[in-house]
C-alpha cells in the first residue's frame, strides 16, 4: 500500500536524521538555552550530538554528557575559541559536518547563536531558519514574522537544515539519565585573526536571568529616571523576579541595553510579567506577549498594554508599586 | 579612505499594525505604508558619519526588491549616500527572496565596487531573520561585527562594541569587514528638503540578480502565514488589594 510505503520511508528518513547541537557556555557553566536546544533536537528525531568548543570545555561537556538521548559530546578545547567568535567556530562546525554529515545543525537563538549559525549556513550554501517556535516535521518549521504579529510555517528544501530556536518555546532538557561518550575533535584550521576578542562588560546581577525567569518585572518611560527603577528592583526582590525594560527606558539611559524586552531585545515568556509604565508598542509586545499572565500598571487607560494584560491597574505607578511591594 | 556599501530594505512601516491575508499566503502589503527598515537607517547614518569624519570616501546603497525599492534608495541618497544600486527582483521571486540570496548579491557588489566595509541593519523588521550580515561576511570570508553599538575605524582594523546577551563585548575586526547595526549605534538624521531635492539627481544603477550571476531560486516553501493566537480579554482591577488577590489566586505568590 502506498500509505504503508510512505510510512516506512518516513521512518527510514527519520532513522537517518542526525542533529548537531552547538552548545553555548562561558567556559564556566553551560548556558540554559542549550538545554532548550537539546529538547528541540530530540523533537527532530534521530541521533543527537552536541558540540562544545571553548578555551575550557570541562564544565559544559560533563554537564552535557549526562543528558539522556544524547549520543555523543564532541569537544574542541583550544585557544582559538577565545571569545567564541563566529569566524573561528565556523571552520570547526564545517569540519564536524564533513566528518559526521548531520542533517540538522541547531543552536539557541541567543546573541551567540544568531551571530554564528547564519555564517555556517552560508558556508554550506543553505538557507538558515532563525528563531523557530515549533517543529512540525524534520523539514517544516514555525516562526514568527513582523514582530510576532504573524506566524509563518515554512518548509526548507535545502538538504541540511540550520536552525536557531526560541528558548521560551521549548522545555529545558533536564540533562539526566544519560551517559554520552565524549570525543575530542581537532581544531585544525580554526585559528585565524579575522576577529580578535578584546573584552566584555557584563551587567552583574543577583536576580534570575531575564530569559529564563519565572517572573519578570519591566519598566518603561513612565519610570522617569534610572533611580526610580529601584521601585522595580524592590518589587522584583519580593517576587524573585528578573527586571526588564522597554526600549524607551533603555534609550533614555535608565537601564542597560541587555535588559531590553522586545522584537530586537530579548524574548521572554515567564509565568508572570508585570509591565510598569510601559505603553505597549508593537515592538515591546513582540518580546513578552507569550507570558502566561500579564499585569499592566499604567496611568493611561488607553495604553495598548491593557489589550494584552490579564490584569490591569489604571493608577500612578509611584503610588501603587510601593504599595504592591509592601503587601507581598 | 574606505569605500562603504550599505544594504537597505523597504519594509512595512514599523508603526503599522499588519494584517494577514485571508488565504494565509502572507500579509497584506498593497496600499500599506512602507519605509526604510529602521536598522538600515542606522546603517546609512553610520556610513554618512564615516564620510563626514573623512574615514569613508564613497558610500553606495543597495536595495534588492521590486521597483518601489528605489524609494528607499532615494531616502538613503537624501541622507548622504553617493550612489544607489537597485537590484530588481519582483513578483514570486521576491516572495521567496531570503538572506541567502541577498547576501550573495551584496557580496558580489562589494567585490565589484571594491568596498572595504559593508554595513547593514541587524535584522529586517518584516522577516525578523537577522542573517544577512553574517551570511554576507561568510560569502566574502570577511570578519563580521554583529549587533554593533559603537564603531571606531583604525588603519587596518575596526574596534567594535557589540550588544550581547549579558552586556557588551568589544572585538577587533580586520578590514575589510561586514557590520550589522544595532539600535544603539546612532540616531539617524532626517533628510532635509534641499537634500531630498539633490538626491533626485544622484545616480541609481539598475541591475538584476542575473547580471551578478546570483541564483535567486527559492530555498523555502511558505506553507502558511497566520494570525497569532488572540489573548483573552483581561480585567481592570480597582486597587492593589484586588491585584494581590488575583496573583494569589493564580498561584504567583
Amino acid at each position: 500500500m502506498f500509505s504503508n510505503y510512505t510510512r516506512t520511508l518516513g521512518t527510514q528518513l527519520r532513522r537517518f536524521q542526525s542533529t548537531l547541537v552547538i552548545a553555548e557556555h562561558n567556559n564556566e557553566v553551560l548556558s540554559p538555552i542549550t538545554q532548550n536546544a537539546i529538547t528541540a533536537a530530540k523533537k527532530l528525531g534521530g541521533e543527537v550530538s552536541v558540540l562544545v568548543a571553548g578555551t575550557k570545555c570541562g564544565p559544559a561537556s560533563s554537564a552535557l554528557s549526562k543528558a539522556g538521548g544524547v549520543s555523543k559530546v564532541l569537544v574542541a578545547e583550544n585557544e582559538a575559541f577565545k571569545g567564541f567568535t563566529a569566524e573561528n567556530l565556523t571552520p570547526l562546525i564545517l569540519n564536524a559536518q564533513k566528518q559526521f554529515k548531520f542533517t540538522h545543525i541547531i543552536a539557541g537563538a541567543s546573541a551567540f547563536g544568531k551571530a554564528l549559525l547564519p555564517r555556517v549556513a552560508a558556508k554550506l550554501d543553505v538557507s538558515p531558519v532563525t528563531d523557530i517556535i515549533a517543529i512540525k516535521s524534520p523539514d517544516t518549521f514555525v516562526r514568527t514574522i513582523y514582530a510576532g504579529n504573524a506566524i509563518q510555517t515554512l518548509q526548507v528544501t535545502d538538504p541540511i537544515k540550520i536552525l536557531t530556536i526560541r528558548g521560551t518555546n521549548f522545555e529545558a532538557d533536564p540533562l539526566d539519565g544519560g551517559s554520552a561518550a565524549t570525543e575530542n575533535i581537532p581544531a585544525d584550521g580554526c585559528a585565524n585573526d579575522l576577529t580578535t576578542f578584546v573584552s566584555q562588560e557584563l551587567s552583574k546581577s543577583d536576580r534570575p536571568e531575564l530569559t529564563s525567569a519565572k517572573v519578570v518585572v519591566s519598566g518603561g518611560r513612565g519610570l522617569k529616571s534610572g533611580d526610580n527603577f529601584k521601585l522595580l528592583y524592590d518589587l522584583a526582590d519580593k517576587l524573585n523576579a528578573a527586571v526588564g525594560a522597554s526600549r524607551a527606558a533603555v534609550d533614555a539611559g535608565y537601564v542597560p541595553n541587555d535588559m531590553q524586552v522586545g522584537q530586537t531585545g530579548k524574548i521572554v515568556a515567564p509565568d508572570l510579567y508585570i509591565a510598569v509604565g510601559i505603553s505597549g508598542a508593537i515592538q515591546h509586545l513582540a518580546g513578552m506577549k507569550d507570558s502566561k499572565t500579564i499585569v499592566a500598571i499604567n496611568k493611561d487607560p488607553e495604553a495598548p498594554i491593557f489589550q494584552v494584560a490579564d490584569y490591569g491597574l489604571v493608577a500612578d505607578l509611584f503610588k501603587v508599586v510601593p504599595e504592591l511591594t509592601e503587601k507581598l | 579612505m574606505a569605500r562603504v556599501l550599505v544594504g537597505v530594505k523597504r519594509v512595512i512601516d514599523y508603526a503599522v499594525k499588519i494584517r494577514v491575508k485571508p488565504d494565509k499566503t502572507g500579509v497584506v502589503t498593497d496600499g500599506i505604508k512602507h519605509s526604510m527598515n529602521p536598522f538600515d537607517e542606522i546603517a546609512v547614518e553610520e556610513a554618512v558619519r564615516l564620510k563626514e569624519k573623512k574615514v569613508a570616501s564613497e558610500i553606495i546603497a543597495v536595495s534588492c526588491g521590486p521597483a518601489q525599492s528605489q524609494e528607499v534608495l532615494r531616502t538613503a541618497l537624501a541622507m548622504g549616500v553617493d550612489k544607489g544600486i537597485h537590484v530588481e527582483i519582483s513578483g514570486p521571486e521576491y516572495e521567496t527572496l531570503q538572506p541567502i540570496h541577498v547576501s550573495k548579491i551584496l557580496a558580489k557588489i562589494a567585490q565589484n565596487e571594491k568596498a572595504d566595509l559593508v554595513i547593514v541593519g541587524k535584522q529586517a523588521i518584516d522577516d525578523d531573520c537577522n542573517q544577512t550580515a553574517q551570511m554576507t561576511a561568510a560569502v566574502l570570508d570577511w570578519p563580521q561585527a554583529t549587533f554593533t553599538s559603537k564603531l571606531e575605524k583604525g588603519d587596518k582594523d575596526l574596534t567594535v562594541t557589540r550588544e550581547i546577551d549579558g552586556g557588551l563585548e568589544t572585538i577587533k575586526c580586520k578590514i575589510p569587514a561586514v557590520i550589522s547595526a544595532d539600535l544603539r549605534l546612532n540616531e539617524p538624521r532626517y533628510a532635509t528638503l534641499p537634500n531630498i531635492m539633490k538626491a533626485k539627481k544622484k545616480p541609481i544603477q539598475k541591475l538584476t540578480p542575473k547580471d551578478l550571476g546570483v541564483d535567486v531560486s527559492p530555498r523555502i516553501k511558505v506553507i502558511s502565514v497566520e494570525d497569532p493566537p488572540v489573548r483573552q480579554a483581561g480585567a481592570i482591577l480597582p486597587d492593589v488589594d484586588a491585584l494581590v488577590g488575583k496573583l494569589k489566586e493564580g498561584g504567583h505568590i
Side-chain angles (χ1 to χ4, degrees), chain A residues 23 25 27 51-57 74-77 81 84 89 92:
Chain A
H25 68 116
N27 294 318
L51 173 66
V52 183
T55 53
K56 192 174 152 222
C57 299
L74 303 171
V75 178
E77 191 169 284
F81 306 124
F84 306 99
L89 287 168
L92 179 71

Side-chain angles (χ1 to χ4, degrees), chain A residues 83-199:
Chain A
F84 306 99
T85 67
E87 291 82 346
N88 294 28
L89 287 168
T90 299
L92 179 71
I93 298 169
L94 297 176
N95 286 348
Q97 175 61 22
K98 215 168 171 182
Q99 190 179 346
F100 298 105
K101 309 258 183 297
F102 299 105
T103 54
H104 295 75
I105 301 176
I106 187 166
S110 57
F112 167 80
K114 285 176 184 172
L116 176 60
L117 284 207
R119 189 173 179 103
V120 173
K123 286 289 181 196
L124 293 168
D125 193 22
V126 303
S127 180
V129 189
T130 35
D131 220 353
I132 62 167
I133 61 169
I135 295 167
K136 290 217 156 165
S137 77
D139 67 357
T140 308
F141 312 104
V142 184
R143 60 188 301 274
T144 65
I145 52 175
Y146 290 95
N149 287 298
I151 310 237
Q152 183 187 53
T153 303
L154 55 85
Q155 191 178 11
V156 178
T157 58
D158 285 317
I160 307 166
K161 279 76 179 168
I162 307 237
L163 313 165
T164 62
I165 60 110
R166 184 172 295 178
T168 52
N169 287 79
F170 297 88
E171 296 288 317
D173 187 274
L175 301 185
D176 61 23
S179 56
T182 304
E183 196 178 311
N184 287 314
I185 62 164
D188 297 349
C190 292
N192 63 62
D193 58 356
L194 290 177
T195 293
T196 324
F197 171 81
V198 179
S199 62

Side-chain angles (χ1 to χ4, degrees), chain B residues 15-244:
Chain B
V16 170
K17 174 96 184 75
I18 59 122
R19 277 183 301 128
V20 170
K21 287 184 191 166
D23 67 358
K24 298 184 179 176
T25 56
V27 306
V28 178
T29 54
D30 286 345
I32 304 285
K33 185 185 178 195
H34 282 68
S35 39
M36 191 190 294
N37 178 42
F39 288 98
D40 301 347
E41 283 185 45
I42 296 168
V44 170
E45 175 66 31
E46 196 63 20
V48 173
R49 289 187 189 188
L50 289 174
K51 193 172 176 191
E52 287 168 346
K53 282 188 259 176
K54 308 242 181 285
V55 171
S57 55
E58 191 181 17
I59 312 167
I60 303 146
V62 182
S63 192
C64 306
Q68 299 95 316
S69 298
Q70 291 195 18
E71 296 161 15
V72 295
L73 283 173
R74 287 286 168 213
T75 308
L77 293 169
M79 286 172 75
V81 164
D82 299 296
K83 116 180 171 183
I85 298 177
H86 175 214
V87 181
E88 183 148 21
I89 300 156
S90 41
E93 276 192 333
Y94 188 61
E95 299 281 314
T96 54
L97 193 77
Q98 284 193 285
I100 189 167
H101 307 117
V102 175
S103 61
K104 287 179 183 183
I105 291 169
L106 287 179
K108 191 75 192 174
I109 294 176
Q111 284 169 330
N112 290 352
E113 298 287 339
K114 298 186 171 51
D116 306 289
L117 299 175
V118 176
I119 315 181
V120 295
K122 82 162 177 180
Q123 77 191 61
I125 60 162
D126 52 0
D127 61 31
D128 282 333
C129 276
N130 195 331
Q131 300 171 357
T132 301
Q134 298 88 313
M135 298 186 82
T136 306
V139 175
L140 290 163
D141 242 323
W142 291 2
Q144 62 185 49
T146 44
F147 328 140
T148 302
S149 61
K150 200 173 157 208
L151 179 69
E152 278 171 73
K153 188 184 165 292
D155 265 355
K156 286 182 181 150
D157 58 15
L158 299 170
T159 304
V160 175
T161 304
R162 302 178 60 223
E163 295 201 7
I164 57 166
D165 290 334
L168 298 171
E169 174 181 285
T170 307
I171 56 167
K172 270 190 194 298
C173 281
K174 272 194 167 174
I175 295 171
V178 180
I179 298 148
S180 83
D182 215 318
L183 279 176
R184 249 68 60 176
L185 182 58
N186 59 50
E187 200 158 313
R189 69 194 64 193
Y190 288 104
T192 59
L193 188 61
N195 285 343
I196 293 170
M197 299 311 286
K198 264 187 243 162
K200 291 188 178 177
K201 295 202 181 88
K202 290 184 181 177
I204 292 182
Q205 185 187 356
K206 270 181 84 165
L207 291 173
T208 65
K210 217 175 159 189
D211 297 332
L212 297 161
V214 176
D215 174 11
V216 293
S217 54
R219 304 296 193 96
I220 56 153
K221 201 171 131 193
V222 177
I223 309 277
S224 68
V225 174
E226 294 173 63
D227 280 311
V230 181
R231 287 190 78 96
Q232 294 281 326
I236 297 293
L237 305 175
D239 53 30
V240 172
D241 289 327
L243 177 58
V244 172

